[in-house]
Amino acid sequence: MTDVLISASELAEFIAKEPCVIIDTRNPDAYAAGHLPNAVNVHEIFTYLATSTPEGMHELKTKFADAFGKAGLSGKETAVIYEQSMNSGFGQSCRGYYLLTMLGYPKVKVVHGGYDAWAAAGLPTTTAVPSPKSASFSIVPEAGDILIDAKTMLAAVGKHGIALLDVRDIDEWIGESSSPYGKDFCPRKGRIPGAVWLEWYRMMKPTAEGPRFKSKNEILAECATVGITQSTPVYLYCFKGARASNTFLALKNAGVKDVRMYFGSWNEWSRDPSLPIEEGLPIEAKLTEKAA
């Protein structure tokens, strides 16, 4: 696969040669204070909470096909997405990449290092707000296979050979907090039973310029610690599909062939009392399994 990540200096050259639509996923205040020239602000890429009922999945697709069309994406342009920096927006630019890929958009780039990298390179920023020309955005239905629902996730619980990968922060994984929005934002704390855990930050490493994604082999080494190889089917989840999108991009770049996401994630799963969860410390759950 061609690398989805593009550095600030590569992007400066790229936009001079290729038709692009640049999408800023940050909150409107950050956007108003300064953004890349011609960037369109679509903060809902980050804020929208999806559910995995058929109606919810249909709404997710039509909502973002409409938003991306209004931003000017017709299929001919490269969609270029950015956030503030790779570790400050919970993976929001990668969530944009995931949504576009799930809708079947052919050309997507994520700015590696985000707005901070662009500004640090001394490249031009502006407060001028563009008026994009709306385009007709078409959905490719089969591309939606990377989006899975709660039923599919439930069917994979306890199934040998599929890795259910939780990438949330440590306090969520150990069942101390239900979300990044507060410990009791959701009614239940814990994990999807049988999930393995790689905190999303582990896909990146610190550099002098700020966090950047690890190399392909470094990411595969991280995956190996929880038994994931390039041929393991991986079903990702986090709280609402943003941090998991950061991991989605990392795994796809590292050549993991079958990566899908339960986009409703913990926000949806924890609110349905009929869905099983594992509570308490993960180590206790593992000890109980062994005893059983």
Side-chain angles (χ1 to χ4, degrees), residues 114-284:
Y115 178 84
D116 286 355
W118 180 268
L123 292 161
T125 61
T126 182
T127 53
V129 176
S131 307
K133 188 170 177 280
S134 280
S136 168
F137 185 103
S138 43
I139 297 172
V140 179
E142 53 273 27
D145 288 353
I146 60 169
L147 176 71
I148 58 177
D149 60 10
K151 270 192 218 143
T152 308
M153 203 65 174
L154 181 60
V157 169
K159 206 172 194 182
H160 185 66
I162 296 175
L164 306 183
L165 181 56
D166 185 322
V167 303
R168 295 173 301 161
D169 291 20
I170 181 78
D171 58 343
E172 294 162 83
W173 168 249
I174 65 174
E176 281 183 3
S177 175
S178 72
S179 85
Y181 299 99
K183 285 186 187 278
D184 299 308
F185 185 82
C186 289
R188 300 192 291 171
K189 302 180 183 81
R191 303 161 294 286
I192 294 178
V196 293
W197 178 65
L198 282 178
E199 197 171 21
W200 70 290
Y201 295 113
R202 280 173 63 182
M203 298 297 127
M204 299 177 289
K205 60 183 175 187
T207 72
E209 288 81 43
R212 297 289 185 271
F213 278 97
K214 290 177 175 173
S215 71
K216 170 181 172 173
N217 286 343
E218 287 168 333
I219 286 162
L220 292 175
E222 293 287 1
C223 288
T225 64
V226 292
I228 292 171
T229 69
Q230 284 174 312
S231 57
T232 309
V234 179
Y235 290 3
L236 288 167
Y237 77 95
C238 58
F239 174 70
K240 64 172 184 187
R243 291 168 291 179
S245 294
N246 178 287
T247 306
F248 178 85
L249 189 158
L251 297 188
K252 292 309 286 180
N253 261 355
V256 181
K257 292 179 197 69
D258 183 4
V259 188
R260 303 171 195 226
M261 198 195 309
Y262 169 42
F263 204 69
S265 281
W266 193 252
N267 179 58
E268 178 179 57
W269 189 275
S270 66
R271 295 178 195 281
D272 182 347
S274 73
L275 294 170
I277 65 167
E278 205 176 78
E279 296 175 271
L281 280 173
I283 191 161
E284 289 164 5

